[in-house]
Structures are given as C-alpha cells and as structure tokens.
Amino acid sequence: MNEFEKIFPSGGWCVEESVGYLLARSRTKLVKAVDIELAQHDITHAQGSMLLMLSSGNYSTAAELSRELYIDSASITRMIDRLEKRGLIVRMPCSDDRRVINLQLTEVGTELAARLPDLYMGVLSHHFADFTADEVVMLKTLLRKLLFGSPETGGKDAKAGSA
C-alpha cells in the first residue's frame, strides 16, 4: 500500500468524510454567511469578491476576474453589468489596446470595497471562534500546500505566504 492509499483508502469511502466534500461544505457555509452580511449592501459574495479584487489593483479586466474567481465569462459579464448599473464600477477602454476594457471602481464602489474586509473578517472571526491561532496558521499552511504544492514534494507552484 502506497502513502496515498494509506491517506485515502479505497473501499470504505464515505462522502461525509471526503476531503473534497468537507472543503466544499466549509466554503459553502462561509459564502452563505458572507451573503447574509452583504445583503445590507445589496451585493452577493461573488460581487463583493470582484470589488475586493478590483480594489487590490492586481486585477483590472473581466478576463482576469473570470480566471481568478473561476467564473465563466457570461456570468462575469452579468455581474459587471449589475455592478455598473448600481454605480459601483465603470468600464474604461484601455489606451494601449482598444480591444481591452478595463474595470474601475467608482467612488461609491471604492468606499464599499474599503468596508468589505472588516465584514469578511467578522464572518471569519465568528466561524473560527473555536480555533486557536496556531490552528488557523496550520489550516492556512495546509491550504497553501494543497493549492500551490510544497518545496518538500517538489511542487512547481510552491509559494511562500504569510500566515
């Protein structure tokens, strides 16, 4: 029996004990909690994520948001349309390439995006209240290892990150 088979044995599989199931359910629980908090601002978790990403300055086009959020281009376009209609973002033609449309937060969008980290942190604080600081650091370390690989296993995408 190899190391992988010891960690994930076949034959006795139970969906409720599946790592994938537990990760998906955890994400769903947090997304629902954030959606409840964001309802007061009349936006969804996905829209809030877009605002935060645009406010970071690391993303500026629908294609970049689509790739990072793993949302199809039609859904991204609909979300952009809604956020633009609400006056939270504007589409700006790129001066270097007319085919590219940059997205920019409006003043109202910038103000809302600035309030979102505290809202997200409140949700996380509530749901991680029974975790120690060390457990949160370990969870983040393990999730980074899952996402990016690790230097120990030769993960080509290994990244260092803050705890």
Side-chain angles (χ1 to χ4, degrees):
M1 179 178 280
N2 68 33
E3 201 61 33
F4 181 79
E5 290 169 332
K6 290 177 189 173
I7 297 169
F8 300 103
S10 62
W13 191 78
C14 172
V15 69
E16 291 85 4
E17 291 301 315
S18 160
V19 172
Y21 172 83
L22 293 169
L23 286 169
R25 289 283 298 149
S26 297
R27 181 188 185 281
T28 299
K29 181 177 183 172
L30 293 173
V31 167
K32 284 182 176 182
V34 168
D35 273 336
I36 290 167
E37 293 297 318
L38 289 175
Q40 64 187 311
H41 300 290
D42 197 29
I43 61 171
T44 65
H45 172 268
Q47 293 167 342
S49 295
M50 286 179 61
L51 293 176
L52 283 173
M53 292 175 73
L54 290 171
S55 73
S56 76
N58 296 324
Y59 307 91
S60 61
T61 67
E64 291 169 340
L65 293 172
S66 178
R67 277 190 301 272
E68 186 65 22
L69 294 170
Y70 200 68
I71 297 174
D72 65 86
S73 59
S75 296
I76 286 286
T77 299
R78 284 191 301 274
M79 285 196 294
I80 291 168
D81 289 344
R82 287 184 193 113
L83 293 172
E84 187 175 40
K85 187 176 180 179
R86 295 255 337 270
L88 299 172
I89 63 171
V90 292
R91 289 175 166 104
M92 306 286 291
C94 177
S95 58
D96 298 337
D97 186 345
R98 291 179 15 175
R99 297 169 297 174
V100 176
I101 302 296
N102 288 316
L103 304 172
Q104 190 172 17
L105 294 174
T106 63
E107 186 176 325
V108 174
T110 300
E111 290 171 7
L112 178 55
R115 289 185 284 194
L116 295 180
D118 286 340
L119 184 143
Y120 280 72
M121 291 307 297
V123 169
L124 290 174
S125 293
H126 172 75
H127 287 281
F128 284 86
D130 293 335
F131 286 65
T132 67
D134 287 342
E135 287 172 329
V136 173
V137 168
M138 177 58 76
L139 177 60
K140 290 170 66 174
T141 299
L142 293 171
L143 291 171
R144 280 190 203 98
K145 187 174 182 179
L146 174 65
L147 290 169
F148 308 117
S150 70
E152 298 83 30
T153 60
K156 65 179 175 74
D157 295 330
K159 286 187 178 180
S162 66

